[in-house]
Amino acid sequence: MRNILITGASRGIGAACAREFASHGDRVFLNYNNSKSAAEKIAAETGAIPVKADVSNFEEVNRMRKIIGGCGRLDILVNNAGISQTKMFTDITESDWDNMFNVNVKGMYLVTRAFVDDMIAAKSGKIINVSSMWGVTGGSCEVHYSAAKAAVIGFTKALAKELGPSGINVNCVAPGVIDTDMNAHLSSDDLEALKNETPFMRIGKSEDVAKTVFFLASRNADFITGQIVNVDGGMVI
Ligand code: NAP
């Protein structure tokens, strides 16, 4: 049985990843921050183990490492926890900027740092980071989000080179528009326009991303590392 940690798994894409891995018999550690009852509901459904930690907080991440470490070594880490915000560049405050990078970038660094030593010692492990198509192309009115998600891509490529000799795969998915709470603010007209820009003419589902993450975590992806896999219905080609 593989041990998997999925950050930000109380809702959306992370919750779909938890369901996907658990349905294949993996032991899933389901990280959440604020959504305790949602996390407990998914845990009850799937048998996953909920673990509270704000990924941007060093002490909370280390507490999570100790809890999970008591159950053995982590085989797979999915750095999914993230926040977004839509604002004109000139309206982004310093605290908006810091918050964006603290969760999306520092969180990924802290969680990876907390678990990577054991993977290096075992010369085995798979790390999958969740970026965004905006990290690839840049998105208007989302400069801080786009910059943070581009940092996820740079982190993925650099770490893949460093950890390849240790037998660890580091890859990244870059979702397009996915139907989660993150896009709940979009109007039906906005969603229709986004659908029309997508070759598959639909908004993505969390499960579309979860199945790709599951593939990247599988033995079928053993020779794939440092890659950015767009899961966006063909929006970015
Ligand atoms: P979502 O529905 O808003 O869920 C976000 C998840 O991240 C929640 O489980 C939340 O946990 C968790 N989270 C936020 N801040 C956290 C923190 N400080 N510590 C731990 N967990 C934290 O978003 P989503 O759409 O599933 O997004 C998941 C990932 O996909 C993000 O990295 C996002 O940037 C990326 N993405 C999404 C889309 C899209 O269209 N939806 C597109 C491209 C990329 P709590 O609720 O428990 O706090």
Side-chain angles (χ1 to χ4, degrees), residues 8-13 31-35 53-55 80-83 103 130-132 145 149 175-178 180-183:
S10 50
R11 296 184 285 116
I13 292 168
N31 160 253
Y32 67 95
N33 188 28
N34 294 316
S35 304
D54 174 350
V55 295
N80 165 77
I83 54 168
V103 177
V130 180
S131 176
S132 161
Y145 181 70
K149 290 303 189 182
V177 185
I178 308 298
T180 69
D181 296 344
M182 195 169 268
N183 289 319

mmCIF file of all heavy atoms in Angstrom, residues 8-13 31-35 53-55 80-83 103 130-132 145 149 175-178 180-183, ligand 1:
data_model
loop_
_atom_site.group_PDB
_atom_site.id
_atom_site.type_symbol
_atom_site.label_atom_id
_atom_site.label_comp_id
_atom_site.label_asym_id
_atom_site.label_seq_id
_atom_site.Cartn_x
_atom_site.Cartn_y
_atom_site.Cartn_z
ATOM 1 N N GLY A 8 -4.288 20.396 0.551
ATOM 2 C CA GLY A 8 -5.497 21.073 0.071
ATOM 3 C C GLY A 8 -6.502 20.095 -0.492
ATOM 4 O O GLY A 8 -7.064 20.311 -1.568
ATOM 5 N N ALA A 9 -6.766 19.022 0.270
ATOM 6 C CA ALA A 9 -7.631 17.952 -0.263
ATOM 7 C C ALA A 9 -9.044 17.989 0.324
ATOM 8 O O ALA A 9 -9.809 17.054 0.153
ATOM 9 C CB ALA A 9 -6.974 16.595 -0.025
ATOM 10 N N SER A 10 -9.383 19.076 0.999
ATOM 11 C CA SER A 10 -10.733 19.152 1.577
ATOM 12 C C SER A 10 -11.776 19.490 0.523
ATOM 13 O O SER A 10 -12.966 19.255 0.729
ATOM 14 C CB SER A 10 -10.766 20.209 2.692
ATOM 15 O OG SER A 10 -10.199 21.428 2.235
ATOM 16 N N ARG A 11 -11.329 20.069 -0.597
ATOM 17 C CA ARG A 11 -12.278 20.524 -1.623
ATOM 18 C C ARG A 11 -11.651 20.363 -3.008
ATOM 19 O O ARG A 11 -10.446 20.162 -3.137
ATOM 20 C CB ARG A 11 -12.624 22.014 -1.406
ATOM 21 C CG ARG A 11 -13.341 22.272 -0.112
ATOM 22 C CD ARG A 11 -13.767 23.732 0.056
ATOM 23 N NE ARG A 11 -12.668 24.608 0.380
ATOM 24 C CZ ARG A 11 -12.232 25.602 -0.398
ATOM 25 N NH1 ARG A 11 -12.812 25.840 -1.556
ATOM 26 N NH2 ARG A 11 -11.223 26.361 -0.025
ATOM 27 N N GLY A 12 -12.488 20.522 -4.045
ATOM 28 C CA GLY A 12 -12.025 20.671 -5.422
ATOM 29 C C GLY A 12 -11.094 19.579 -5.927
ATOM 30 O O GLY A 12 -11.329 18.377 -5.741
ATOM 31 N N ILE A 13 -10.020 20.015 -6.575
ATOM 32 C CA ILE A 13 -9.096 19.092 -7.238
ATOM 33 C C ILE A 13 -8.427 18.158 -6.225
ATOM 34 O O ILE A 13 -8.276 16.955 -6.471
ATOM 35 C CB ILE A 13 -8.038 19.901 -8.031
ATOM 36 C CG1 ILE A 13 -8.716 20.613 -9.215
ATOM 37 C CG2 ILE A 13 -6.896 19.007 -8.506
ATOM 38 C CD1 ILE A 13 -7.850 21.666 -9.908
ATOM 39 N N ASN A 31 -4.698 16.472 3.583
ATOM 40 C CA ASN A 31 -4.411 17.728 4.296
ATOM 41 C C ASN A 31 -5.522 18.752 4.040
ATOM 42 O O ASN A 31 -6.062 18.841 2.944
ATOM 43 C CB ASN A 31 -3.064 18.290 3.817
ATOM 44 C CG ASN A 31 -2.926 19.774 4.122
ATOM 45 O OD1 ASN A 31 -3.003 20.601 3.215
ATOM 46 N ND2 ASN A 31 -2.749 20.135 5.371
ATOM 47 N N TYR A 32 -5.851 19.495 5.101
ATOM 48 C CA TYR A 32 -6.803 20.608 4.955
ATOM 49 C C TYR A 32 -6.334 21.738 5.857
ATOM 50 O O TYR A 32 -5.470 21.545 6.726
ATOM 51 C CB TYR A 32 -8.229 20.170 5.335
ATOM 52 C CG TYR A 32 -8.385 19.843 6.805
ATOM 53 C CD1 TYR A 32 -8.857 20.801 7.703
ATOM 54 C CD2 TYR A 32 -8.006 18.594 7.308
ATOM 55 C CE1 TYR A 32 -8.973 20.515 9.052
ATOM 56 C CE2 TYR A 32 -8.111 18.307 8.656
ATOM 57 C CZ TYR A 32 -8.601 19.267 9.530
ATOM 58 O OH TYR A 32 -8.705 18.992 10.872
ATOM 59 N N ASN A 33 -6.915 22.904 5.653
ATOM 60 C CA ASN A 33 -6.599 24.022 6.542
ATOM 61 C C ASN A 33 -7.854 24.493 7.263
ATOM 62 O O ASN A 33 -8.016 24.231 8.452
ATOM 63 C CB ASN A 33 -5.938 25.168 5.748
ATOM 64 C CG ASN A 33 -5.432 26.254 6.669
ATOM 65 O OD1 ASN A 33 -5.095 25.983 7.822
ATOM 66 N ND2 ASN A 33 -5.378 27.474 6.173
ATOM 67 N N ASN A 34 -8.786 25.137 6.556
ATOM 68 C CA ASN A 34 -9.989 25.684 7.214
ATOM 69 C C ASN A 34 -11.206 24.770 7.138
ATOM 70 O O ASN A 34 -12.081 24.845 7.996
ATOM 71 C CB ASN A 34 -10.361 27.038 6.567
ATOM 72 C CG ASN A 34 -9.297 28.083 6.834
ATOM 73 O OD1 ASN A 34 -8.798 28.205 7.948
ATOM 74 N ND2 ASN A 34 -8.933 28.832 5.802
ATOM 75 N N SER A 35 -11.277 23.930 6.104
ATOM 76 C CA SER A 35 -12.522 23.181 5.858
ATOM 77 C C SER A 35 -12.515 21.820 6.555
ATOM 78 O O SER A 35 -12.500 20.760 5.907
ATOM 79 C CB SER A 35 -12.731 23.005 4.345
ATOM 80 O OG SER A 35 -12.720 24.235 3.706
ATOM 81 N N ALA A 53 -3.178 21.278 8.534
ATOM 82 C CA ALA A 53 -1.963 22.112 8.542
ATOM 83 C C ALA A 53 -2.132 23.228 7.523
ATOM 84 O O ALA A 53 -2.576 22.980 6.401
ATOM 85 C CB ALA A 53 -0.717 21.291 8.173
ATOM 86 N N ASP A 54 -1.779 24.425 7.931
ATOM 87 C CA ASP A 54 -1.637 25.525 6.969
ATOM 88 C C ASP A 54 -0.281 25.310 6.306
ATOM 89 O O ASP A 54 0.754 25.383 6.975
ATOM 90 C CB ASP A 54 -1.683 26.857 7.730
ATOM 91 C CG ASP A 54 -1.387 28.049 6.834
ATOM 92 O OD1 ASP A 54 -0.966 27.849 5.683
ATOM 93 O OD2 ASP A 54 -1.571 29.184 7.306
ATOM 94 N N VAL A 55 -0.280 25.036 5.002
ATOM 95 C CA VAL A 55 0.981 24.663 4.341
ATOM 96 C C VAL A 55 2.015 25.792 4.345
ATOM 97 O O VAL A 55 3.201 25.552 4.153
ATOM 98 C CB VAL A 55 0.768 24.166 2.880
ATOM 99 C CG1 VAL A 55 -0.020 22.873 2.852
ATOM 100 C CG2 VAL A 55 0.135 25.241 2.008
ATOM 101 N N ASN A 80 -0.932 20.369 -3.888
ATOM 102 C CA ASN A 80 -2.100 20.912 -4.584
ATOM 103 C C ASN A 80 -2.664 22.179 -3.926
ATOM 104 O O ASN A 80 -3.292 22.995 -4.600
ATOM 105 C CB ASN A 80 -3.185 19.819 -4.630
ATOM 106 C CG ASN A 80 -4.552 20.367 -4.986
ATOM 107 O OD1 ASN A 80 -4.828 20.652 -6.147
ATOM 108 N ND2 ASN A 80 -5.407 20.566 -3.985
ATOM 109 N N ALA A 81 -2.440 22.359 -2.613
ATOM 110 C CA ALA A 81 -3.064 23.484 -1.897
ATOM 111 C C ALA A 81 -2.751 24.791 -2.613
ATOM 112 O O ALA A 81 -1.608 25.046 -2.988
ATOM 113 C CB ALA A 81 -2.548 23.537 -0.458
ATOM 114 N N GLY A 82 -3.768 25.594 -2.804
ATOM 115 C CA GLY A 82 -3.523 26.859 -3.497
ATOM 116 C C GLY A 82 -4.664 27.830 -3.320
ATOM 117 O O GLY A 82 -5.789 27.461 -2.947
ATOM 118 N N ILE A 83 -4.350 29.087 -3.551
ATOM 119 C CA ILE A 83 -5.370 30.144 -3.557
ATOM 120 C C ILE A 83 -5.197 30.953 -4.839
ATOM 121 O O ILE A 83 -4.118 30.968 -5.429
ATOM 122 C CB ILE A 83 -5.234 31.085 -2.334
ATOM 123 C CG1 ILE A 83 -3.822 31.656 -2.238
ATOM 124 C CG2 ILE A 83 -5.628 30.364 -1.051
ATOM 125 C CD1 ILE A 83 -3.695 32.807 -1.245
ATOM 126 N N VAL A 103 1.190 30.797 0.216
ATOM 127 C CA VAL A 103 0.434 29.537 0.093
ATOM 128 C C VAL A 103 0.913 28.734 -1.126
ATOM 129 O O VAL A 103 1.275 27.555 -1.002
ATOM 130 C CB VAL A 103 -1.093 29.802 -0.007
ATOM 131 C CG1 VAL A 103 -1.846 28.478 -0.206
ATOM 132 C CG2 VAL A 103 -1.594 30.526 1.236
ATOM 133 N N VAL A 130 0.892 21.186 -8.422
ATOM 134 C CA VAL A 130 -0.229 21.700 -9.210
ATOM 135 C C VAL A 130 0.020 23.176 -9.533
ATOM 136 O O VAL A 130 0.015 24.030 -8.645
ATOM 137 C CB VAL A 130 -1.571 21.504 -8.471
ATOM 138 C CG1 VAL A 130 -2.720 22.051 -9.317
ATOM 139 C CG2 VAL A 130 -1.800 20.018 -8.176
ATOM 140 N N SER A 131 0.274 23.424 -10.808
ATOM 141 C CA SER A 131 0.456 24.798 -11.289
ATOM 142 C C SER A 131 -0.875 25.259 -11.883
ATOM 143 O O SER A 131 -1.945 24.957 -11.337
ATOM 144 C CB SER A 131 1.605 24.835 -12.308
ATOM 145 O OG SER A 131 1.744 26.115 -12.849
ATOM 146 N N SER A 132 -0.830 25.944 -13.013
ATOM 147 C CA SER A 132 -2.042 26.424 -13.685
ATOM 148 C C SER A 132 -1.651 26.816 -15.107
ATOM 149 O O SER A 132 -0.497 27.181 -15.365
ATOM 150 C CB SER A 132 -2.569 27.664 -12.962
ATOM 151 O OG SER A 132 -3.434 28.399 -13.799
ATOM 152 N N TYR A 145 -1.019 35.636 -9.133
ATOM 153 C CA TYR A 145 -1.331 34.208 -9.264
ATOM 154 C C TYR A 145 -0.483 33.586 -10.380
ATOM 155 O O TYR A 145 0.123 32.523 -10.203
ATOM 156 C CB TYR A 145 -2.825 34.028 -9.558
ATOM 157 C CG TYR A 145 -3.275 32.585 -9.686
ATOM 158 C CD1 TYR A 145 -3.313 31.744 -8.577
ATOM 159 C CD2 TYR A 145 -3.667 32.064 -10.925
ATOM 160 C CE1 TYR A 145 -3.735 30.414 -8.699
ATOM 161 C CE2 TYR A 145 -4.087 30.743 -11.048
ATOM 162 C CZ TYR A 145 -4.122 29.925 -9.936
ATOM 163 O OH TYR A 145 -4.532 28.613 -10.061
ATOM 164 N N LYS A 149 2.284 30.669 -9.957
ATOM 165 C CA LYS A 149 2.141 29.369 -10.630
ATOM 166 C C LYS A 149 3.298 29.125 -11.600
ATOM 167 O O LYS A 149 3.652 27.973 -11.871
ATOM 168 C CB LYS A 149 0.782 29.286 -11.328
ATOM 169 C CG LYS A 149 -0.386 29.181 -10.333
ATOM 170 C CD LYS A 149 -0.219 27.976 -9.404
ATOM 171 C CE LYS A 149 -1.421 27.686 -8.549
ATOM 172 N NZ LYS A 149 -1.205 26.544 -7.640
ATOM 173 N N PRO A 175 -3.584 22.770 -14.790
ATOM 174 C CA PRO A 175 -4.997 22.700 -15.179
ATOM 175 C C PRO A 175 -5.453 23.978 -15.890
ATOM 176 O O PRO A 175 -4.925 25.068 -15.660
ATOM 177 C CB PRO A 175 -5.729 22.551 -13.836
ATOM 178 C CG PRO A 175 -4.689 22.100 -12.851
ATOM 179 C CD PRO A 175 -3.410 22.715 -13.330
ATOM 180 N N GLY A 176 -6.480 23.796 -16.737
ATOM 181 C CA GLY A 176 -7.169 24.943 -17.336
ATOM 182 C C GLY A 176 -8.291 25.379 -16.410
ATOM 183 O O GLY A 176 -8.100 25.439 -15.192
ATOM 184 N N VAL A 177 -9.455 25.658 -16.985
ATOM 185 C CA VAL A 177 -10.583 26.085 -16.146
ATOM 186 C C VAL A 177 -11.292 24.839 -15.629
ATOM 187 O O VAL A 177 -11.824 24.043 -16.418
ATOM 188 C CB VAL A 177 -11.581 26.950 -16.948
ATOM 189 C CG1 VAL A 177 -12.665 27.482 -16.015
ATOM 190 C CG2 VAL A 177 -10.863 28.094 -17.641
ATOM 191 N N ILE A 178 -11.286 24.680 -14.322
ATOM 192 C CA ILE A 178 -11.852 23.473 -13.701
ATOM 193 C C ILE A 178 -13.012 23.903 -12.795
ATOM 194 O O ILE A 178 -12.917 24.928 -12.090
ATOM 195 C CB ILE A 178 -10.769 22.735 -12.868
ATOM 196 C CG1 ILE A 178 -9.492 22.474 -13.693
ATOM 197 C CG2 ILE A 178 -11.329 21.425 -12.294
ATOM 198 C CD1 ILE A 178 -9.633 21.590 -14.911
ATOM 199 N N THR A 180 -14.561 24.196 -9.838
ATOM 200 C CA THR A 180 -14.381 24.098 -8.375
ATOM 201 C C THR A 180 -14.786 25.435 -7.757
ATOM 202 O O THR A 180 -15.061 26.411 -8.467
ATOM 203 C CB THR A 180 -12.908 23.834 -7.992
ATOM 204 O OG1 THR A 180 -12.157 25.021 -8.290
ATOM 205 C CG2 THR A 180 -12.304 22.651 -8.720
ATOM 206 N N ASP A 181 -14.723 25.473 -6.424
ATOM 207 C CA ASP A 181 -15.040 26.724 -5.700
ATOM 208 C C ASP A 181 -14.169 27.885 -6.179
ATOM 209 O O ASP A 181 -14.566 29.041 -6.096
ATOM 210 C CB ASP A 181 -14.787 26.550 -4.189
ATOM 211 C CG ASP A 181 -15.710 25.516 -3.577
ATOM 212 O OD1 ASP A 181 -16.723 25.170 -4.227
ATOM 213 O OD2 ASP A 181 -15.407 25.054 -2.456
ATOM 214 N N MET A 182 -12.959 27.560 -6.648
ATOM 215 C CA MET A 182 -12.029 28.612 -7.080
ATOM 216 C C MET A 182 -12.621 29.451 -8.215
ATOM 217 O O MET A 182 -12.265 30.603 -8.395
ATOM 218 C CB MET A 182 -10.697 27.984 -7.509
ATOM 219 C CG MET A 182 -9.578 28.971 -7.634
ATOM 220 S SD MET A 182 -7.976 28.178 -7.828
ATOM 221 C CE MET A 182 -7.420 28.076 -6.138
ATOM 222 N N ASN A 183 -13.536 28.837 -8.984
ATOM 223 C CA ASN A 183 -14.132 29.568 -10.108
ATOM 224 C C ASN A 183 -15.587 29.945 -9.840
ATOM 225 O O ASN A 183 -16.303 30.346 -10.766
ATOM 226 C CB ASN A 183 -14.029 28.734 -11.396
ATOM 227 C CG ASN A 183 -12.596 28.665 -11.867
ATOM 228 O OD1 ASN A 183 -11.875 29.667 -11.814
ATOM 229 N ND2 ASN A 183 -12.163 27.490 -12.295
HETATM 230 P P1 NAP B 1 -10.453 25.160 -4.222
HETATM 231 O O1 NAP B 1 -11.664 24.395 -4.597
HETATM 232 O O2 NAP B 1 -10.559 26.598 -3.846
HETATM 233 O O3 NAP B 1 -9.697 24.365 -3.053
HETATM 234 C C1 NAP B 1 -8.499 24.849 -2.550
HETATM 235 C C2 NAP B 1 -7.930 23.842 -1.568
HETATM 236 O O4 NAP B 1 -6.660 24.366 -1.109
HETATM 237 C C3 NAP B 1 -8.823 23.652 -0.351
HETATM 238 O O5 NAP B 1 -8.832 22.287 -0.003
HETATM 239 C C4 NAP B 1 -8.129 24.494 0.721
HETATM 240 O O6 NAP B 1 -8.258 23.952 2.024
HETATM 241 C C5 NAP B 1 -6.671 24.350 0.308
HETATM 242 N N1 NAP B 1 -5.845 25.404 0.865
HETATM 243 C C6 NAP B 1 -5.872 26.736 0.605
HETATM 244 N N2 NAP B 1 -4.973 27.377 1.371
HETATM 245 C C7 NAP B 1 -4.365 26.427 2.135
HETATM 246 C C8 NAP B 1 -3.351 26.453 3.118
HETATM 247 N N3 NAP B 1 -2.777 27.612 3.502
HETATM 248 N N4 NAP B 1 -2.970 25.290 3.692
HETATM 249 C C9 NAP B 1 -3.551 24.114 3.330
HETATM 250 N N5 NAP B 1 -4.529 24.023 2.412
HETATM 251 C C10 NAP B 1 -4.922 25.172 1.822
HETATM 252 O O7 NAP B 1 -9.382 25.136 -5.399
HETATM 253 P P2 NAP B 1 -9.100 24.098 -6.574
HETATM 254 O O8 NAP B 1 -9.705 24.659 -7.802
HETATM 255 O O9 NAP B 1 -9.404 22.710 -6.149
HETATM 256 O O10 NAP B 1 -7.523 24.314 -6.711
HETATM 257 C C11 NAP B 1 -6.576 23.319 -6.348
HETATM 258 C C12 NAP B 1 -5.263 23.683 -7.016
HETATM 259 O O11 NAP B 1 -5.445 23.720 -8.424
HETATM 260 C C13 NAP B 1 -4.718 25.050 -6.629
HETATM 261 O O12 NAP B 1 -3.330 25.001 -6.502
HETATM 262 C C14 NAP B 1 -5.109 25.913 -7.818
HETATM 263 O O13 NAP B 1 -4.286 27.039 -7.962
HETATM 264 C C15 NAP B 1 -4.969 24.939 -8.950
HETATM 265 N N6 NAP B 1 -5.723 25.279 -10.156
HETATM 266 C C16 NAP B 1 -7.078 25.347 -10.151
HETATM 267 C C17 NAP B 1 -7.752 25.682 -11.325
HETATM 268 C C18 NAP B 1 -9.248 25.792 -11.424
HETATM 269 O O14 NAP B 1 -9.743 26.242 -12.470
HETATM 270 N N7 NAP B 1 -10.001 25.425 -10.401
HETATM 271 C C19 NAP B 1 -7.020 25.935 -12.491
HETATM 272 C C20 NAP B 1 -5.645 25.848 -12.444
HETATM 273 C C21 NAP B 1 -4.999 25.509 -11.280
HETATM 274 P P3 NAP B 1 -9.271 24.518 3.165
HETATM 275 O O15 NAP B 1 -10.570 24.832 2.470
HETATM 276 O O16 NAP B 1 -9.339 23.371 4.120
HETATM 277 O O17 NAP B 1 -8.614 25.730 3.767
#
